[in-house]
């Protein structure tokens, strides 16, 4: 079937491919081109990203848990892996209420593997601290929200500063809220 998302691991040892809307995906070890495939009721794979060490592949899914991590337990050339759900801490939708369920569309890990940016369907970018000990865990750092596309009438509104909510490293404890005068 059609390939949706295609990602090399940082060292080039693995190649990931998702296949269409059925939720099937495959990982190849690139020396032998042996592969392992996964299928299930998780729906479309929106995005995937590898941690810098290349031993964890994070997937944004349409159904089930919004994020799952494929942990390669033995490293290359092994394809032995565990697919585990990842708890995704989210800020409140309006800054004061309960967190809204996320629909993750895009993922980006920084080069150190300590920070993860997650873009949601609503246009919010959630900033997370990531830790691998022994499995992936995420802590909320903050969120950035740009102006909604439907509200971008004037030139000034199109260049409006994003709204930023910052959180302390302690899970969910809000320490400050600021609006930054920087382009998003």
């Amino acid at each position: 079937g059609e390939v949706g998302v295609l990602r090399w691991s940082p060292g080039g040892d693995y190649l990931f491919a998702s296949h269409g809307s059925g939720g099937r995906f495959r990982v190849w070890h690139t020396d032998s081109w042996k592969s392992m495939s996964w299928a299930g009721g998780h729906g479309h794979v929106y995005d995937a990203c590898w941690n810098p060490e290349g031993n964890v592949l994070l997937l944004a899914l349409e159904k089930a848990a919004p994020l799952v991590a494929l942990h390669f337990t033995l490293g290359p050339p092994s394809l032995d892996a565990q697919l585990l759900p990842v708890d995704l801490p989210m800020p409140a939708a309006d800054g004061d209420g309960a967190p809204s369920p996320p629909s993750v569309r895009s993922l980006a890990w920084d080069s150190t593997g300590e920070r993860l940016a997650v873009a949601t369907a609503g246009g919010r970018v959630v900033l997370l601290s990531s830790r691998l000990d022994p499995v992936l865990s995420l802590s909320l750092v903050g969120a950035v929200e740009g102006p909604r596309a439907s509200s971008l009438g004037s030139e000034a509104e199109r260049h409006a500063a994003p709204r930023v909510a910052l959180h302390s490293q302690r899970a969910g404890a809000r320490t400050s809220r600021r609006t930054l005068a920087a382009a998003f």
Side-chain angles (χ1 to χ4, degrees):
E2 183 178 320
V3 174
V5 177
L6 193 61
R7 299 283 184 267
W8 287 99
S9 65
D13 296 309
Y14 297 110
L15 179 63
F16 165 83
S18 68
H19 301 282
S21 61
R24 263 190 42 228
F25 58 89
R26 179 177 298 274
V27 175
W28 287 272
H29 180 261
T30 60
D31 282 346
S32 65
W33 292 105
K34 290 183 180 177
S35 68
M36 180 73 76
S37 65
W38 289 263
H42 49 73
H44 181 75
V45 176
Y46 287 118
D47 200 8
C49 69
W50 292 90
N51 74 333
E53 293 81 26
N55 60 346
V56 177
L57 177 64
L58 192 59
L59 304 169
L61 304 176
E62 176 183 26
K63 299 177 183 172
L67 290 180
V68 295
L70 194 55
H71 291 264
F72 288 84
T73 53
L74 301 176
S78 176
L79 288 166
D80 289 340
Q82 293 180 321
L83 185 64
L84 302 172
V86 176
D87 184 34
L88 178 59
M90 293 293 289
D94 62 3
D96 297 321
S100 58
S103 182
V104 176
R105 293 295 194 261
S106 186
L107 304 164
W109 234 315
D110 78 343
S111 63
T112 67
E114 295 174 2
R115 297 179 298 174
L116 179 72
V118 173
T120 66
R124 177 180 279 182
V125 176
V126 179
L127 308 170
L128 302 154
S129 168
S130 64
R131 184 175 156 187
L132 193 59
D133 184 32
V135 297
L136 180 64
S137 64
L138 303 173
S139 301
L140 182 63
V141 173
V144 179
E145 252 183 289
R148 302 255 184 238
S150 62
S151 69
L152 298 179
S154 71
E155 183 70 19
E157 288 170 327
R158 283 194 292 277
H159 296 287
R163 206 175 60 167
V164 177
L166 301 174
H167 297 263
S168 76
Q169 293 292 11
R170 292 179 305 142
R174 191 174 333 124
T175 58
S176 65
R177 185 178 186 100
R178 300 182 182 122
T179 301
L180 300 179
F184 179 69

